[in-house]
Amino acid sequence: MSRSRQPPLVTGISPNEGIPWTKVTIRGENLGTGPADLIGLTICGHNCLLTAEWMSASKIVCRVGQAKNDKGDIIVTTKSGGRGTSTVSFKLLRPEKIGILDQSAVWVDEMNYYDMRTDRNKGIPPLSLRPANPLGIEIEKGKFPQKDLETLFPGMSADFTSENFSAAWYLIENHSSASFEQLKMAIAHLKRQANKKSEGSLAYVKGGLSTFFEAQDALSAIHQKLEADGTEKVEGSMTQKLENVLNRASNTADTLFQEVLGRKDKADSTRNALNVLQRFKFLFNLPLNIERNTQKGDYDVVINDYEKAKSLFGKTEVQVFKKYYAEVETRIEALRELLLEKLLETPSTLHDQKRYIRHLSDLHAPGDPAWQCIGAQHRWILQLMHSCREGCVRDLKGPPGLHGTSLDLDAELRASAPSHLGQTASLKRGSSFQPGRDDAWRCKTPHRVAFVEKLTKLVLSQLPNFWKLWISYVNGSLFSETAEKSGHIERSKNVRQRQNDFKKMIQEVMQCLVKLVRGALLPLGAAEGGGRQHGGWEAKAELPGQWLAHTIQTLRLTYDSLAALEIPSDLLQTIQDLVLDLRVRCVVVTLQHTAEGTSGTLTALPGVGAARPGPSPCRFERCVLLSLQSLRGVLECKPGEASVFQHPKTQEEVCQLSINIMQGFLYCLEQLSTKPDADVDTAHLSVDVSSPDLFGSIHEDFGLTSEQRLLIVLSNCCYLERYTFLNIAEQFEKHNFQGIERITQVSMASLKDLDQRLFESYIELKADPIVGSLEPGIYAGYFDWRDCLPPTGGWFQVPGLQVHVFTVSKDLVPRVLSRVVEAVSEELSRLMQCVSSFSRNGALQVPCLCCARGPSCLNHGDVCQLQSSFKQALEALPQLSSGADRK
């Protein structure tokens, strides 16, 4: 077929976008010679020839159909020109979904009917009415998991009818792949929708204005034809028939839509009810939400919801709202009881207690929950303290192995009388100072000491939180701002009224602590007032001083920790009084054990073996020093503490115990000086430090005679008087002991008395045999003063005595020899006075004997005293006439 014209060319279309069935005007060139020449018209790939109306070779009017493509060319095909081209394009918009009861200016294709009831998204209320696509762009569900979106947007929702609507969530969920241009189109669409809503009916008229114009044109054309025909008033005319047809159509339409309209009215009423439910769903869902949040522990959410409901519906007159609000109050009352029960539960942390108190104050709980919590904590602390004592007493009385770590009771009894002196073992030649075999008790803590540590640890773990709870109660930090403002005046009155009550609580805790510690450490004192309640330790031996010092340090640390909480010092005074009593008791017990150790635990003189002489007084001094050093921390006064010696009774007792220590050691020396040979362990005996080592050749098994024991004790007494007692008195003074002069005087008096008695005993043992052997020795062999040989020199001497005394202590030699020579001189004087007559040789012999030179160790005073003792004997002799005899 040959073409006589140019192909059609579309150069414009108006409008250039629209929804399906939009009427458009196409303009161009060579669009056909007439209607019959137009054989094809496609817009966006859809055939629009059926609706096309050829107007001229440059204009065609048609309606856009349902096309597959959103945008495409306008192609016109004619017989004369063939298939044409297009320089413009048309954009097809997606039509708005119209419900069955929505107004529309154009005919709705029933094949594409949209039922809003079926357009639901998960999580949206089932009966809520909302636009299907508010943005007007294609919805593409994203691949993001719902849980991830909930985590990313906590507390938000993708439902745009919700109060917590999140636009970001909605875009990610429905338009994750949309481009920026599409989002701009969505904004324009939203603006148009907003304008339509604001314009109301006017927007509806504007949207269907072209339809109205077409209908008006059609009616005008019909009216003109009827007037030209002139039959509009004739019976059976076309007008009458048309009216009848329209009436029947109207009646039929009413019949068809009567049920639909009825359902519409019912739906409107249901919609109104749903709107009410939707609007007040907060109140209707609140009871269930309270229960769920309570189970999850989200008490803050419950309180916020309750405050909101109370402000909105607390004074409502609507019966439905009253009913639901009453249910809310029931759930809140149950929550108050639950929170109060949790608040009074023990044990609980301070953080939980504050949280529960704050919640109860926000819920306007009756009474004073904070004070109830303080009372419950007070009772709990007292219960814990008594349970601690009962558990430790049960462990003490029960069989070993039944209760945790069982302590060795025998070890505790052994530990009750420690003594540095008693721990001294035998030291033989070449050996070292070894500890005793019963030192295993050191590694085991006595039950009562462990109880005090456990009790103080318990108090320090509970009382700080108890005190902080009270401070928070006083300053109002336990309550929220709302509750603080509403109850400030009432709370202030309660605080003033309950300060004394809380002070009594703290005092009761402190008194309980002190009584329990007294019952454990001072059973004799506790037995008088509260032995049954706080005792249980009566059968136990008294603790040694070192364990008492340990408990004193524990109580001091407890006091410092409680004072750091800024607890008033008057409330902690009972602890200070207890520490003072324990300090006094520790000093007394330590001195008692030292005195017992010096007088009862020694079976021989302390010191080193005979192979290495050593000072027993030095060992005694060292033991006393160790005892005083163990009391250094006890005697030291910490801030706020009183002196141990502030009471005269304590001063007197300590002074007497100090004297007992000195006298105990003297008693021990006295016992050892008179002990039978079979009971003496010679390996323990020692001599004075000033003595030279003259026992080197003596065998280790050498048994000491009574004279040697007396000399050794006398040597120790000299050392005690010169050094030991003075050093000990100086140490007493350094440790602030009272009555030092009395201690020194009494101790020195006892020492001198012992020294004099032992010295007399020794002189008696040594002088009597010599004096008794003097007369038999002179007259042996029938010696006669009237008939004797001429004298050859002085023959008076004390055989071996000087060496014997010097071996033990050279300082004793003058003292002993002077007494022995004095006794000999007295006996010799008596013997000379008993002689009736002397020969010349006898008269010469007696002066030679009396005038013999005494021992070289005697000083001038002793020699003078010796010469005076012989004076009476010389007076009884006849006078010598010869000068040679006198010479």
Side-chain angles (χ1 to χ4, degrees):
M1 179 187 302
S2 62
R3 297 185 179 91
S4 58
R5 298 180 64 86
Q6 294 292 329
L9 176 62
V10 177
T11 59
I13 182 172
S14 177
N16 59 359
E17 63 179 8
I19 62 174
W21 310 114
T22 299
K23 186 177 181 180
V24 298
T25 300
I26 301 172
R27 299 184 182 275
E29 301 176 359
N30 303 321
L31 298 183
T33 59
D37 190 35
L38 182 63
I39 61 175
L41 175 59
T42 59
I43 300 177
C44 297
H46 184 268
N47 190 358
C48 301
L49 183 60
L50 293 178
T51 60
E53 182 179 359
W54 186 88
M55 306 298 291
S56 65
S58 59
K59 178 181 178 181
I60 298 176
V61 178
C62 70
R63 290 186 179 274
V64 181
Q66 292 285 354
K68 296 181 180 179
N69 301 325
D70 293 341
K71 190 173 184 180
D73 295 335
I74 300 95
I75 305 301
V76 178
T77 305
T78 60
K79 294 180 181 179
S80 59
R83 182 180 177 85
T85 59
S86 175
T87 60
V88 295
S89 61
F90 182 82
K91 183 177 181 181
L92 186 65
L93 302 178
R94 295 295 180 182
E96 295 183 1
K97 297 179 179 179
I98 302 174
I100 190 173
L101 300 178
D102 292 341
Q103 294 179 341
S104 177
V106 298
W107 184 258
V108 178
D109 188 358
E110 295 183 0
M111 296 299 296
N112 297 323
Y113 167 69
Y114 169 66
D115 187 358
M116 292 189 65
R117 293 174 297 174
T118 62
D119 184 25
R120 300 173 186 155
N121 287 332
K122 185 177 181 180
I124 297 176
L127 297 177
S128 64
L129 300 177
R130 60 181 182 82
N133 186 5
L135 298 183
I137 59 178
E138 185 177 0
I139 295 178
E140 296 180 3
K141 292 293 183 179
K143 299 181 180 179
F144 293 92
Q146 190 72 14
K147 293 183 178 180
D148 294 348
L149 292 173
E150 292 176 355
T151 305
L152 188 60
F153 302 99
M156 307 303 290
S157 173
D159 181 11
F160 47 78
T161 62
S162 174
E163 296 179 357
N164 300 324
F165 171 68
S166 174
W169 187 347
Y170 180 82
L171 291 175
I172 293 174
E173 185 177 27
N174 298 284
H175 305 286
S176 59
S177 60
S179 64
F180 183 70
E181 295 296 331
Q182 289 178 325
L183 294 178
K184 291 173 65 177
M185 294 171 55
I187 294 177
H189 180 76
L190 286 174
K191 291 181 178 179
R192 289 196 299 268
Q193 294 296 327
N195 292 334
K196 287 183 180 180
K197 291 182 179 179
S198 62
E199 292 176 359
S201 301
L202 181 60
Y204 166 73
V205 174
K206 288 182 178 179
L209 191 58
S210 60
T211 306
F212 286 116
F213 288 159
E214 293 176 358
Q216 178 65 27
D217 293 340
L219 291 176
S220 298
I222 294 173
H223 182 65
Q224 291 176 359
K225 288 185 179 181
L226 290 177
E227 286 183 348
D229 189 36
T231 60
E232 66 276 8
K233 297 181 180 180
V234 179
E235 185 67 26
S237 64
M238 184 178 63
T239 304
Q240 186 66 37
K241 294 179 180 179
L242 181 58
E243 182 181 359
N244 294 336
V245 170
L246 292 175
N247 288 333
R248 287 197 303 272
S250 177
N251 293 333
T252 304
D254 292 341
T255 303
L256 292 175
F257 285 94
Q258 183 176 5
E259 184 178 357
V260 175
L261 294 176
R263 289 199 301 269
K264 180 179 181 299
D265 295 338
K266 185 176 180 180
D268 290 340
S269 61
T270 303
R271 187 180 298 108
N272 292 333
L274 292 177
N275 288 335
V276 173
L277 291 176
Q278 180 69 17
R279 181 179 178 183
F280 301 103
K281 65 179 180 180
F282 165 74
L283 176 63
F284 300 139
N285 296 333
L286 187 55
L288 182 59
N289 291 335
I290 290 176
E291 184 175 353
R292 290 176 179 175
N293 291 325
T294 300
Q295 293 176 355
K296 292 189 296 183
D298 295 337
Y299 303 122
D300 291 328
V301 177
V302 175
I303 293 173
N304 292 335
D305 292 345
Y306 173 67
E307 290 293 339
K308 182 179 179 181
K310 186 176 181 180
S311 62
L312 294 175
F313 307 101
K315 299 180 180 180
T316 183
E317 298 296 333
V318 181
Q319 294 299 323
V320 175
F321 294 163
K322 281 186 176 181
K323 180 179 179 181
Y324 274 88
Y325 185 74
E327 182 65 22
V328 169
E329 287 289 354
T330 303
R331 302 294 175 90
I332 292 298
E333 183 62 30
L335 177 60
R336 292 192 188 105
E337 297 176 357
L338 175 64
L339 291 176
L340 183 59
E341 181 180 353
K342 288 182 175 293
L343 176 63
L344 300 182
E345 280 182 359
T346 50
S348 61
T349 62
L350 180 62
H351 176 267
D352 290 340
Q353 292 171 355
K354 290 183 176 181
R355 186 162 61 96
Y356 294 142
I357 292 173
R358 188 174 292 109
H359 291 333
L360 287 170
S361 65
D362 290 338
L363 292 175
H364 309 289
D368 194 348
W371 181 251
Q372 293 178 1
C373 178
I374 292 175
Q377 287 299 308
H378 171 249
R379 293 187 295 271
W380 169 249
I381 294 175
L382 294 178
Q383 181 181 351
L384 285 179
M385 295 171 69
H386 288 292
S387 299
C388 178
R389 178 188 63 83
E390 293 171 0
C392 290
V393 172
R394 184 169 57 251
D395 290 345
L396 181 62
K397 295 181 179 179
L402 292 182
H403 307 286
T405 57
S406 64
L407 301 177
D408 188 358
L409 303 186
D410 294 335
E412 187 176 353
L413 291 175
R414 290 197 301 270
S416 64
S419 173
H420 300 293
L421 297 174
Q423 296 168 17
T424 305
S426 300
L427 295 179
K428 298 190 177 181
R429 182 180 303 176
S431 64
S432 59
F433 191 53
Q434 300 290 337
R437 61 181 177 85
D438 291 335
D439 285 348
W441 64 271
R442 292 178 179 273
C443 302
K444 298 181 180 179
T445 304
H447 267 86
R448 288 171 287 171
V449 176
F451 161 70
V452 173
E453 292 179 349
K454 185 177 181 181
L455 182 64
T456 53
K457 184 178 180 181
L458 184 150
V459 172
L460 290 180
S461 64
Q462 297 294 330
L463 197 60
N465 289 339
F466 182 60
W467 178 259
K468 292 177 183 177
L469 183 64
W470 164 253
I471 296 300
S472 301
Y473 178 79
V474 172
N475 59 30
S477 61
L478 286 177
F479 313 99
S480 62
E481 295 182 0
T482 304
E484 175 72 13
K485 292 178 181 179
S486 60
H488 177 72
I489 299 178
E490 181 179 359
R491 187 185 60 79
S492 300
K493 295 180 180 179
N494 292 338
V495 169
R496 289 193 295 269
Q497 294 174 357
R498 287 167 176 167
Q499 279 182 346
N500 293 331
D501 295 338
F502 183 78
K503 185 176 180 180
K504 293 179 180 179
M505 290 182 181
I506 294 293
Q507 288 176 344
E508 186 175 357
V509 173
M510 295 297 102
Q511 291 173 0
C512 180
L513 172 64
V514 170
K515 288 181 180 179
L516 291 176
V517 174
R518 285 185 184 276
L521 303 181
L522 305 172
L524 298 178
E528 299 178 359
R532 293 185 178 182
Q533 181 180 2
H534 304 284
W537 315 92
E538 290 80 358
K540 301 300 296 177
E542 190 169 19
L543 285 174
Q546 60 181 1
W547 286 118
L548 286 175
H550 178 75
T551 56
I552 290 171
Q553 180 65 17
T554 301
L555 290 173
R556 281 174 168 174
L557 293 176
T558 302
Y559 177 86
D560 293 340
S561 300
L562 295 178
L565 298 174
E566 298 182 357
I567 298 178
S569 57
D570 58 331
L571 299 180
L572 303 178
Q573 187 58 39
T574 54
I575 298 181
Q576 289 282 40
D577 296 340
L578 172 63
V579 171
L580 178 60
D581 293 344
L582 288 176
R583 291 167 62 202
V584 172
R585 192 61 191 165
C586 180
V587 172
V588 171
V589 169
T590 301
L591 296 180
Q592 284 178 348
H593 290 170
T594 305
E596 292 171 2
T598 56
S599 61
T601 61
L602 294 177
T603 58
L605 282 175
V608 297
R612 179 67 178 171
S616 59
C618 289
R619 181 171 297 175
F620 165 68
E621 179 183 349
R622 184 168 60 252
C623 295
V624 175
L625 262 174
L626 290 175
S627 298
L628 293 178
Q629 288 176 358
S630 68
L631 294 175
R632 180 174 299 174
V634 177
L635 294 174
E636 181 183 0
C637 293
K638 300 293 182 180
E641 293 182 350
S643 174
V644 174
F645 307 106
Q646 66 175 354
H647 296 298
K649 183 179 179 181
T650 304
Q651 297 178 11
E652 178 65 26
E653 186 175 7
V654 171
C655 181
Q656 187 59 45
L657 287 173
S658 303
I659 294 174
N660 292 344
I661 293 175
M662 307 293 195
Q663 293 179 342
F665 185 71
L666 296 178
Y667 173 78
C668 177
L669 293 178
E670 183 178 7
Q671 293 298 315
L672 290 173
S673 67
T674 59
K675 199 169 186 180
D677 292 342
D679 296 337
V680 178
D681 184 3
T682 59
H684 290 278
L685 294 178
S686 63
V687 294
D688 184 34
V689 69
S690 62
S691 300
D693 188 359
L694 299 179
F695 283 156
S697 62
I698 299 178
H699 193 270
E700 186 174 351
D701 296 335
F702 176 73
L704 297 177
T705 63
S706 59
E707 293 88 351
Q708 289 176 321
R709 290 199 303 271
L710 286 172
L711 281 177
I712 293 174
V713 173
L714 286 172
S715 175
N716 283 321
C717 288
C718 293
Y719 194 90
L720 287 172
E721 182 179 3
R722 294 179 186 176
Y723 306 106
T724 304
F725 278 5
L726 297 179
N727 293 340
I728 291 176
E730 182 180 355
Q731 292 298 323
F732 283 157
E733 187 174 1
K734 286 183 178 180
H735 288 81
N736 299 322
F737 276 48
Q738 304 295 319
I740 305 298
E741 294 182 359
R742 179 189 169 193
I743 296 174
T744 305
Q745 291 175 359
V746 175
S747 301
M748 288 295 185
S750 300
L751 176 61
K752 291 179 180 179
D753 179 68
L754 174 63
D755 178 81
Q756 186 63 31
R757 286 186 284 109
L758 295 180
F759 182 75
E760 294 296 335
S761 299
Y762 181 77
I763 294 301
E764 183 179 354
L765 289 175
K766 280 299 186 181
D768 287 352
I770 295 175
V771 171
S773 64
L774 188 60
E775 183 177 1
I778 292 175
Y779 295 103
Y782 301 98
F783 176 81
D784 190 356
W785 294 102
R786 292 171 297 183
D787 183 15
C788 60
L789 297 176
T792 59
W795 49 264
F796 169 73
Q797 57 181 331
V798 183
L801 178 61
Q802 182 176 354
V803 176
H804 181 268
V805 177
F806 187 84
T807 303
V808 177
S809 176
K810 65 179 182 179
D811 293 338
L812 288 175
V813 172
R815 183 182 179 190
V816 172
L817 291 184
S818 62
R819 286 293 302 273
V820 172
V821 171
E822 181 182 356
V824 170
S825 63
E826 291 176 356
E827 178 64 17
L828 185 59
S829 176
R830 185 187 66 80
L831 291 175
M832 294 302 102
Q833 292 176 2
C834 294
V835 177
S836 59
S837 63
F838 293 90
S839 65
R840 175 179 173 274
N841 292 334
L844 292 174
Q845 184 67 44
V846 172
C848 291
L849 174 64
C850 295
C851 296
R853 187 170 56 88
S856 60
C857 62
L858 297 179
N859 55 33
H860 178 72
D862 294 332
V863 172
C864 295
Q865 185 178 0
L866 177 62
Q867 291 177 352
S868 63
S869 300
F870 285 110
K871 188 174 183 180
Q872 295 179 359
L874 294 176
E875 291 176 353
L877 295 176
Q879 297 294 326
L880 297 176
S881 59
S882 174
D885 293 340
R886 289 196 298 270
K887 184 178 179 180

